Amino acid sequence: MIDRLSVRYDSRDVLRGLSLEVARGEIVALMGPSGVGKSTALRAVAALQAFDDGQIVVDGFALAPGPVPPESRLVPLRRRVGLVFQAHALFEHLTALDNVTLALRHVLGRSRDEAEAVATELLASLDVGSRASAWPGQLSGGEAQRVAIARALAPDPHLLLMDEPTAALDPARRSALGATLRRLCEQGRGLLVATHDAEFARANADRVVSLTA
Amino acid sequence: MQLANSHRHLVADQRTRADSSELRLGTEQRHEAKDGEAKHAFHQGHNLHAVIAARLALCVLTSLGAQRPSPRVLVWGGDAEGGAPFVEADPADPSQVRGFDVEVAARIARGLGGRTARFVQVQWSNIDQSVERGDFTLGLSGVEDTPTRRARHAVTLPYFEFREVLAVRPEDAGRIHGLADLRGRRVATLGATIAYDLLVAARDTTGLIPISYDDDVHPYGDLVAGRVDAVLLDHIIAQRALRRRGGSGFVILAQPVALGHYVGVLARANSALRDSVDAVLRQAMRDGTLEQIFRRWDVWDPSQGALFDRVVRSTATAAPLGSAAGSHALAYLPSLARAAGVTLLVSILSMALAVLVGLALASGRVYGPVWLRVLTTVYVEVIRGTPLLLQLFVIYYGLAGVIRLPAFLAAVLALGLNYGAYEAEIYRGALEAVPRIQLEAARTLGFSEWQILRLVRGPQALRFALAPMTNDFVALLKDSALVSVITVVELTKQTAIYATNVGSWVVPGALCALVYLAMSLPLARLARRLEQHWRPA
């Protein structure tokens, strides 16, 4: 739930009084032209960005206005929220598989075998199982995005945030992505998708929240 | 034998020599003043304009002479850093030099048809090479009579007999009577000298540890400080060091280890002029002018009279100390191998320290609070902004009052702390080259800051840093040559000693270059491969 969220930057309002709610099993699209604050809202929910007013509550964990709290206090939030960046941000020194297993092993404490089993299944379900041993530089835009989704899903978050997921996809890939998102939300997750792609939003979102400048 | 003194000692000599006023004159002035009244006019300042005009004329003459020496001038080379009583800058007029070698040069010049002596500064260890290059005609600065020198250059008659004497701390005087009593002890001397050869020979027979210095002042300081157990050098240098310490701190053993002679050195092709110089020296020994010079500088003793008698009576001279050049070449090979090992060991240990220091500094600069960032930045800029040579001196000699570091440790510390500053900049750049968005992705996955550094940022930064680090190691390998100034004999220093002893840089220089290349080329290759492998995307 986002309640009256406001973010100011250099005394300029980037976001003013944004309120929305994402239920489990629901896809909400956050629409609006570039620079309107869609990414800022996602970053605030993922506790990467401080905000000035309002409140963010995820499954009972509340973020208050002011600076981002230290990571040690964000552990419950990190378990609940996953974020897929527009630029994917895969770890360049690890293979696709290791990108997915890293958090499983070092944050959730799974054994290597367990983590690899989970990661292999995730990659296969996103149709990139054959690319498990590829390096990020060897992946196409669509493949990298699906590996990034798999990485964000590995800790099994309740809320998945996606920033402009269609930006680098051709039309065929876009509809495939729509089907993937639907499947993820049917698993009981809430999805908040920031996009300026109105067609994609109308076709796939349960609800569209429009931001205006 | 003499070499680099620090200038503070000039002050001491000014004090001890202040009474002999005529010695403040430069070579040329003294020559003019020798028999005439110009000296008095000069000193009383009656003819200031004439003096200034004469100085100006001298400057012009000197600069012209540098291009084409006039036949009325004898250009001679010596090292004024060696100090009194050999050659030193005149405290009253630092543009002039004084010392017994200065006066001997003037006497020789006068004997060669009334010439004027003109001084050229040259590093003591380079006198032989410079005289062959034609930088000056006569090298005269406590130059030792050795078989190698005689074989490669035109060498004059010996004009002074010196004794190689041992200096020890007063409490050791009862126990130590010669080199044989110094098994396992550290014995200091000036590098590339007969004394050094004596110590190297004694290392094999008596098991002492020779320590080579670049100057003849610090060995005595380190003797008093306990860093070395004895010093072997010419009696003139030992006595001078003792005077400077007010006659305490160490004692000079009465029994000399060996005798040696000072000679003048000319280019091999100049043997005819050498014969004329010999004639002048013989004449100066006969007419007492040489004795007067040595008495003025307080270095006269009966053994000089005996030497003069021998030289004047016979055309042959005593066989010089040391072994012939041919045997040196092979004898120095094991030393070169050992020195290459020292170079490698110093470099590896320094690099390990530099990596640790660099990591700490870079972490401070990237992750630390403001005060730590400021502190680490100041360290990096100060270290990078000052010469490594200065840092070596400060750590070895400057800190000696607080903590007396062994030379090897001081060398590793200085190089490691210096290169640590450069490593820090590499690591900082490498850490900052990892895209911020990857760090944010890691945070959203629940990694702690430490885990992000260890699992995401560090491994990628290491890839960016490896190639520049390898390049730095190659640079460090070569910079390690500097540590010879604090008595660590590494490859370059050993090569210089070798070159001085065989009288040529050709073979030693080529050998030394080959060893450095053998160490650095594989590393440079590795750096290139790393760069190609892990170029940042």
Side-chain angles (χ1 to χ4, degrees), chain B residues 415-478:
Chain B
L415 278 172
L417 291 176
N418 178 278
Y419 268 75
Y422 293 91
E423 293 312 295
E425 285 303 276
I426 291 177
Y427 303 151
R428 185 177 65 86
L431 283 172
E432 285 171 356
V434 178
R436 190 150 291 278
I437 193 167
Q438 284 196 34
L439 310 182
E440 291 185 341
R443 282 169 65 193
T444 64
L445 287 167
F447 291 107
S448 67
E449 284 297 334
W450 169 239
Q451 281 180 316
I452 293 174
L453 178 61
R454 192 164 58 85
L455 299 168
V456 177
R457 202 177 194 182
Q460 293 188 71
L462 181 68
R463 294 177 170 207
F464 301 150
L466 266 179
M469 273 172 77
T470 313
N471 285 330
D472 263 8
F473 186 68
V474 174
L476 192 151
L477 204 61
K478 291 175 291 175

Side-chain angles (χ1 to χ4, degrees), chain B residues 480-518:
Chain B
S480 69
L482 276 177
V483 306
S484 67
V485 299
I486 59 168
T487 78
V488 178
V489 177
E490 44 59 66
L491 187 53
T492 301
K493 177 67 181 174
Q494 189 62 58
T495 304
I497 292 171
Y498 175 23
T500 306
N501 279 278
V502 301
S504 160
W505 269 91
V506 177
V507 175
L511 262 179
C512 177
L514 275 179
V515 177
Y516 272 114
L517 283 174

